[in-house]
Amino acid sequence: MKTRFRALALGAIMSVAGSAALAATECIAPANPGGGWDFTCRQIGKILYDIGQVDSPVQVTNMAGGGGGLAYSHVVNERGDDNNLIVAASQATATRLAQNAYAGMTADQVRFVGAIGADPGVIVVAADSPFMSLGDMVDAIKADPGSVAFGGGSAAGGFDHLKVLMVLKEAGFTDITKVKYIGLDGGGDAITQTIGGFTQGMTGDMSEIVGFLQSGEVRALAVLTEERVPGFEDIPTAVEQGFDVVAVNWRGLYVPKGISDADFEAWGSRLQAVADSQEWKDAMVANGLAPFTKVGGDFQSWVDGVIADTVELSKEIGVIQ
């Protein structure tokens, strides 16, 4: 009701001024203030306005519920052709859609318009771990799957769990149900368990381990990006160690499915402009994000592939039927 009132009020003001107005852009953050989706809306929204990609400040609406499901349902059922609406999304969005966590909602009910930064996935061990490379760890699991347990900040079947399984599948290990994974209450708890020797490895995101790397309590065996991460060039990628796995918690947006192709491509272009801006580069450095830019149709195709792979893995470990 408030949104409709604001839109009507804006239209009335602009009509009086004699202008043909477009409604102000709204960005829905499917969570409470302070998290990654909120950051995506507020930071991208601010830069969109600062660099002149939109004519007025972007309105941010926090819509928490169902791990993003409430906002997704709202967009599909009530805002399906709103070309002034963008919604914050991440790898968690794709994973939950793949695992049918949004009560029957499917990924093809919206359009994924772009991602312009990512929190890189990492696989970490304690500083005194005998594993000196990702290959060492994979070989140990192949020899005795029960000898290595991982901790992560997502539940079993969540993205942290899947990162390890992706590496092992790439290594030719097929009995992935034997891999030990303990879902903990956030990455901080997961890494503490590994430092304490309760687990032999931690799977999570770069932003979760920076302080522990700097204190020398852990070593990162691999970062799951296409190239080494600026500022952390001493951490090798899984790719360069022979495991063709890229797993990043991308930060991006989706838009309603019913908007026109022209509007979809326009949002892709606007997001590309943000990615190219110095303001966004500075924001990535300040918030520990790595470059990761895919927009428009290329990003939609990439997300489709990620969801298909997640469905396959999730079935193998029994998260979905």
Side-chain angles (χ1 to χ4, degrees), residues 124-151:
V124 175
V125 294
D128 59 356
S129 169
F131 301 133
M132 302 307 294
S133 70
L134 187 58
D136 290 345
M137 175 178 277
V138 168
D139 288 343
I141 294 171
K142 284 183 171 181
D144 181 5
S147 67
V148 179
F150 293 92

Side-chain angles (χ1 to χ4, degrees), residues 184-208:
L184 296 156
D185 190 16
D189 287 352
I191 204 165
T192 299
Q193 292 290 307
T194 298
I195 293 170
F198 300 102
T199 57
Q200 288 68 53
M202 179 265 187
T203 166
D205 296 328
M206 178 70 78
S207 63
E208 297 170 325

